[in-house]
Amino acid sequence: MCEVSLEGLKFGPDGLIPAIVQDYYSKEVLTLAYMNRESLNISIREGRTCFYSRSRQCLWRKGETSGNTQKIVSIDADCDGDALVVQVIKAGPACHTGRESCFFQPLYQSPDTPAFSIDGLYQLIQGRKTQQKEGSYTTYLFNKGIDKILKKVGEECTEVVVAGKGGDKAETIFEISDLAYHLLVLMVEMGIAPKDIIAELASRHVVDHKVKQEKMR
């Protein structure tokens, strides 16, 4: 396969361009690495991340020793052409410390906008299962087992239907939130991660896109 034209990209005086690596499913920033023209061409050609190590002064394919590879979904340049965003599907942690992301040391969080994410809530619910907290409703559900959890999911589904049928937007949002929480409890109980659901939805999106393309031919 011939090399891809990199015309328009601005590599620094050292021949490198910063590459922000992002999880395709969760959109979490995984790491900041660097590429030169050769490593970028290798990444595009092989569909897996290949970087240039500034400390070792050589090319390195992510996962060549650890096995924690990164399959590339897309590479986009910024408006100035001097930085890249690389979306990947990762097989294992991105950080050499074993963390999922290299960015795990908090420096500042605005008190006006507390951090929230589905992944964060999922991890909190996991903690209620593995390190049970007395008086916790979530721990209570886990102790009662799968039948109780499924019963609550069914009840919340009904409440969403009733709220939606009544046309009350605020009430429907409230009930959908209750349902989402109980679904996360079910997911933790069954060992299903948010990324598993996102991957399934993404696979359906790809299939739908291919079907539409076939119909247009």
Side-chain angles (χ1 to χ4, degrees):
M1 183 182 291
C2 63
E3 290 192 348
V4 176
S5 172
L6 305 181
E7 185 179 353
L9 292 182
K10 299 175 183 176
F11 293 83
D14 54 3
L16 303 178
I17 188 169
I20 302 164
V21 183
Q22 182 183 38
D23 187 287
Y24 172 68
Y25 294 125
S26 69
K27 306 308 177 187
E28 180 180 18
V29 175
L30 300 176
T31 192
L32 170 63
Y34 291 84
M35 294 180 172
N36 61 10
R37 290 181 182 273
E38 183 180 3
S39 68
L40 180 52
N41 265 307
I42 290 172
S43 296
I44 294 171
R45 184 168 64 247
E46 297 183 356
R48 290 170 51 181
T49 52
C50 177
F51 305 113
Y52 185 85
S53 172
R54 294 179 298 168
S55 60
R56 299 194 302 269
Q57 296 286 296
C58 65
L59 298 176
W60 64 281
R61 288 170 169 80
K62 174 63 178 173
E64 61 187 350
T65 56
S66 67
N68 301 326
T69 57
Q70 297 172 341
K71 178 183 177 182
I72 297 174
V73 177
S74 65
I75 301 177
D76 295 291
D78 73 343
C79 55
D80 294 321
D82 58 5
L84 305 173
V85 172
V86 185
Q87 290 199 345
V88 303
I89 298 174
K90 62 185 179 66
C95 184
H96 73 281
T97 64
R99 300 268 189 159
E100 293 300 315
S101 166
C102 291
F103 296 94
F104 56 85
Q105 303 185 75
L107 297 180
Y108 172 78
Q109 175 64 53
S110 170
D112 300 324
T113 53
F116 175 82
S117 68
I118 293 296
D119 284 328
L121 178 56
Y122 180 85
Q123 290 168 15
L124 177 63
I125 293 172
Q126 276 185 315
R128 292 292 187 265
K129 180 178 174 66
T130 58
Q131 300 175 346
Q132 299 193 346
K133 180 179 179 181
E134 186 176 353
S136 165
Y137 173 67
T138 307
T139 295
Y140 161 79
L141 289 175
F142 286 127
N143 286 336
K144 286 295 183 179
I146 187 68
D147 287 345
K148 180 64 174 180
I149 295 170
L150 290 172
K151 181 180 178 182
K152 289 301 300 182
V153 169
E155 290 174 357
E156 297 303 335
C157 284
T158 300
E159 291 179 11
V160 169
V161 172
V162 172
K165 184 66 175 178
D168 189 325
K169 182 177 179 180
E171 182 67 17
T172 304
I173 290 173
F174 182 86
E175 297 300 347
I176 288 174
S177 298
D178 272 354
L179 174 59
Y181 157 76
H182 284 91
L183 285 173
L184 286 171
V185 173
L186 174 62
M187 288 165 59
V188 169
E189 178 68 14
M190 297 186 65
I192 301 171
K195 65 180 181 180
D196 298 327
I197 305 301
I198 295 172
E200 174 62 23
L201 292 172
S203 69
R204 296 181 187 185
H205 171 73
V206 171
V207 170
D208 288 344
H209 180 67
K210 288 182 178 179
V211 169
K212 289 178 182 178
Q213 285 185 320
E214 289 296 329
K215 288 182 178 179
M216 293 174 63
R217 291 177 181 171

